[in-house]
Amino acid sequence: MSVVTRFAPSPTGYLHIWSLRTVLYNYLFAKQKDGKFMLRVEDTDRSRYVEGSVENMLEVLASVWLIPDEGPNNPWENGPYFQSERLDLYQKYITELLEKDKAYYCFCSSEKLTQDREEQQALWLPTKYNGTCRYLSEDEISKNLADNIPYTVRLKVPKEEIIEFRDTIKGKISVPSKDVDDQVLLKTDKFPTYHFAVVIDDHLMWITDIIRWDEWIPSTPKHILLYSAFWWELPRFSHVPPLIWKSKKKLSKRDGDVAVELYLEKWYLVEALMNYLALLWWNPKTTEEFFTMEELIQRFDLSQVHKAWAFFDVERLDFFNSHYLKTTSTDTIYDKLITYLNRYDNEFSELIKTYPEEFNKKILEELKWRIKKFDEYKGYTTCFYNESKIPELDLIINPKMKLESISDVLESLKVTLDLLENSNMNITNLDSIKALYIEKIKEAWMKNWQVLWPARCALSWEKFSPWAFEMIYILGKEESLKRIRATIEGLK
Ligand code: GLU
């Protein structure tokens, strides 16, 4: 049977960065095997339901190109995709389990269950259901049902069995059944619990591979018991370890961004985010670090996923992002930048749209080598889009570069002025500007930085900006001359 994987989120909020990893692995694995990747919404716990979260998750997944082959937005043959719309199905399978004596009615009230639990805790015993209703007679059950006593249905866990499964990542796992609780399968409100619905749905949706967070390992034996109660074939399990901050703290909103949408708002490139997430646990067994989505699909190997925790390091993500910014064509990055600005800084976007596109792209071409992500972009561009100023004296006077006084600065600015006024340089070619510039500096018997520093300050008046030749290349001859002359006048 061809591979079918799934992501089964509970609609309790935004998509977390660690869930995105789970989706990515499910997606890569399915695509690699020419299989299918499905999305199912596990919304049976109505008390935790957050309005709008499903729509938001689907939107975020589409933004990072992880579009399910089947799910609420593209239904196909295995729907419905919301568990709350599948209640009849669960009812049918609960009846089958009761008939097979693999499950039983439990009429214990929640007060009694709480009291039992507290007694167990007081004695330092593991808290488990104590089995009161496991051995009720047929008559007792019929009477309770006839009296409309609210009930749950529990799994009848065998007493002396070893439950075993092989996990692709963790290896062989075995658990004695005496350590497994008689899990509630159907709640008093007739909604299934996660444990029951997940098994029914994974089976009915033909899921062959369950790739999920390893928090679910302790639940897997319960699921296995259900598969065997129905005589259903077991899927393969792969439990991926958790993600924590680099500081070794648990990943939580208090210490950084955990919602994927916040990373998208900072406009991390999808390529960078996916590449970084894939490598957090998966060891590609090579020194290569950069993989496109196609390469990830080809090379991803579930058996090479680490067993240990992974550390989420935003600086490392920035490193990947800056790699993709540098290596993607300026035209492509420009379109993304404009979309980003339209969305998050419309005023700035309107401002730059009043300049020729060619000019804007020249700026981006230089800045994409300096920024790590788009939200840093605006900060570097004041010198291009604002009225020019005269640089501060303590910026332009720089003794380390032999610029001790205003007259030193004026002397060296003359070299740039001469270059702009008298040479025949090709302003559209950065290399030719560089070559001529260096030539001129040599002719003047000066040091490179001695000339380039004050020129840069006069052209950009900022502490951080591209170098003088790049500024000239972007601003053009006329504007560069205007700025150099204005600074010379101002200093005089
Ligand atoms: N609904 C569960 C969750 O949100 C899914 C767990 C599973 O993948 O089986 O974590």
Side-chain angles (χ1 to χ4, degrees):
M1 196 191 348
S2 77
V3 161
V4 186
T5 64
R6 62 21 171 212
F7 176 50
S10 303
T12 50
Y14 44 78
L15 186 73
H16 288 88
I17 196 82
W18 61 81
S19 303
L20 182 61
R21 167 282 308 260
T22 310
V23 186
L24 177 65
Y25 284 15
N26 275 287
Y27 180 86
L28 294 176
F29 188 71
K31 295 293 137 186
Q32 179 176 78
K33 310 275 184 231
D34 272 332
K36 206 166 174 179
F37 165 61
M38 298 218 227
L39 191 133
R40 175 181 73 233
V41 182
E42 305 208 322
D43 60 344
T44 53
D45 187 351
R46 303 308 287 176
S47 61
R48 293 176 63 221
Y49 187 83
V50 174
E51 202 63 51
S53 57
V54 177
E55 294 72 11
N56 178 273
M57 257 182 221
L58 290 169
E59 189 58 36
V60 171
L61 286 180
S63 312
V64 297
W65 318 333
L66 299 178
I67 300 180
D69 299 304
E70 257 189 65
N73 280 359
N74 42 346
W76 195 242
E77 63 221 3
N78 294 296
Y81 303 90
F82 285 87
Q83 288 187 328
S84 57
E85 292 168 18
R86 301 170 65 85
L87 300 183
D88 291 349
L89 278 171
Y90 307 127
Q91 194 56 53
K92 171 177 159 223
Y93 286 102
I94 274 291
T95 313
E96 188 178 328
L97 276 187
L98 287 165
E99 280 167 11
K100 286 180 165 163
D101 197 26
K102 299 288 184 186
Y104 60 91
Y105 289 102
C106 173
F107 298 95
C108 295
S109 65
S110 57
E111 293 75 27
K112 161 140 190 348
L113 293 173
T114 313
Q115 191 191 340
D116 289 351
R117 208 172 21 246
E118 282 168 2
E119 282 171 16
Q120 288 170 340
Q121 278 163 348
L123 296 168
W124 297 94
L125 292 169
T127 47
K128 280 174 70 182
Y129 179 59
N130 67 8
T132 315
C133 294
R134 191 168 161 135
Y135 304 104
L136 292 182
S137 67
E138 291 286 318
D139 291 347
E140 283 169 302
I141 294 171
S142 312
K143 181 171 179 310
N144 286 345
L145 289 177
D147 290 347
N148 279 329
I149 299 182
Y151 65 83
T152 60
V153 175
R154 287 182 183 270
L155 178 65
K156 200 172 220 173
V157 175
K159 288 283 176 219
E160 305 283 339
E161 243 180 53
I162 298 291
I163 307 161
E164 243 175 30
F165 66 100
R166 243 203 91 70
D167 188 284
T168 322
I169 297 164
K170 311 266 171 175
K172 190 168 126 189
I173 297 181
S174 46
V175 181
S177 65
K178 66 175 172 38
D179 295 344
V180 180
D181 200 5
D182 280 1
Q183 179 66 48
V184 172
L185 303 177
L186 195 75
K187 296 180 276 185
T188 41
D189 60 6
K190 304 281 187 293
F191 270 70
T193 55
Y194 155 72
H195 300 284
F196 185 57
V198 76
V199 171
I200 303 300
D201 290 341
D202 282 339
H203 173 75
L204 296 180
M205 293 180 168
W206 306 93
I207 306 298
T208 58
D209 286 81
I210 294 181
I211 305 169
R212 63 184 169 199
W213 187 16
D214 68 3
E215 188 192 50
W216 295 107
I217 289 184
S219 307
T220 309
K222 298 173 189 171
H223 304 173
I224 290 180
L225 287 175
L226 283 167
Y227 279 99
S228 51
F230 287 115
W231 292 91
W232 288 342
E233 197 181 328
L234 271 190
R236 274 181 297 259
F237 290 98
S238 308
H239 285 97
V240 275
L243 185 58
I244 56 174
W245 293 120
K246 198 182 159 207
S247 59
K248 305 216 163 105
K249 278 197 194 155
K250 202 175 154 233
L251 218 56
S252 88
K253 311 209 250 223
R254 228 174 308 128
D255 301 300
D257 294 334
V258 293
V260 177
E261 58 196 71
L262 297 178
Y263 289 89
L264 297 178
E265 274 175 26
K266 295 213 172 101
W267 225 252
Y268 279 98
L269 298 177
V270 175
E271 299 85 330
L273 200 53
M274 294 299 132
N275 194 157
Y276 176 62
L277 279 182
L279 290 186
L280 270 178
W281 292 266
W282 165 56
N283 178 358
K285 302 250 157 182
T286 136
T287 50
E288 288 165 79
E289 305 190 272
F290 303 113
F291 299 92
T292 61
M293 201 60 164
E294 286 73 41
E295 287 163 344
L296 286 176
I297 291 174
Q298 266 171 27
R299 314 249 311 250
F300 179 70
D301 182 355
L302 255 186
S303 68
Q304 296 302 330
V305 170
H306 308 291
K307 290 186 182 44
W309 299 37
F311 299 105
F312 193 72
D313 177 1
V314 180
E315 280 171 27
R316 191 91 186 116
L317 174 59
D318 287 351
F319 162 78
F320 276 88
N321 206 56
S322 73
H323 166 82
Y324 283 98
L325 279 175
K326 286 177 201 146
T327 52
T328 309
S329 80
T330 302
D331 285 339
T332 308
I333 297 287
Y334 184 71
D335 293 342
K336 287 182 198 267
L337 177 70
I338 294 295
T339 321
Y340 166 76
L341 292 175
N342 284 345
R343 191 144 152 197
Y344 298 109
D345 194 345
N346 204 34
E347 203 180 313
F348 183 55
S349 141
E350 289 305 316
L351 170 73
I352 73 171
K353 278 190 233 155
T354 60
Y355 289 79
E357 195 171 297
E358 197 196 344
F359 175 71
N360 294 337
K361 282 189 179 169
K362 270 186 177 173
I363 299 172
L364 180 60
E365 199 170 294
E366 291 312 316
L367 292 189
K368 74 179 193 181
W369 290 86
R370 291 165 203 269
I371 57 168
K372 292 189 289 303
K373 46 189 197 296
F374 283 167
D375 62 356
E376 295 170 4
Y377 189 72
K378 186 178 174 182
Y380 281 105
T381 58
T382 0
C383 56
F384 300 109
Y385 297 118
N386 289 26
E387 270 304 301
S388 62
K389 294 188 293 199
I390 308 297
E392 303 282 335
L393 274 187
D394 54 0
L395 179 72
I396 200 162
I397 294 184
N398 189 334
K400 276 194 228 139
M401 301 192 186
K402 293 193 186 289
L403 301 159
E404 319 244 359
S405 62
I406 295 189
S407 61
D408 287 350
V409 172
L410 286 172
E411 200 55 33
S412 82
L413 281 177
K414 266 201 229 148
V415 180
T416 310
L417 189 66
D418 182 40
L419 170 87
L420 290 165
E421 279 176 343
N422 304 320
S423 67
N424 241 346
M425 72 181 160
N426 177 1
I427 198 81
T428 58
N429 183 319
L430 185 57
D431 287 333
S432 121
I433 300 175
K434 258 188 215 168
L436 259 181
Y437 211 150
I438 302 292
E439 199 54 45
K440 276 265 176 247
I441 298 172
K442 264 200 210 133
E443 279 171 22
W445 289 92
M446 288 202 188
K447 298 254 178 246
N448 289 333
W449 300 126
Q450 201 178 352
V451 174
L452 295 173
W453 176 259
R456 187 186 85 69
C457 298
L459 291 164
S460 78
W461 72 85
E462 294 276 335
K463 200 162 176 189
F464 301 105
S465 78
W467 279 104
F469 1 82
E470 290 155 352
M471 290 298 300
I472 293 175
Y473 168 72
I474 296 169
L475 294 172
K477 208 173 202 170
E478 212 175 299
E479 178 64 25
S480 305
L481 259 176
K482 198 172 119 198
R483 292 185 183 196
I484 297 286
R485 281 184 187 137
T487 305
I488 292 177
E489 281 314 304
L491 290 178
K492 274 185 187 161

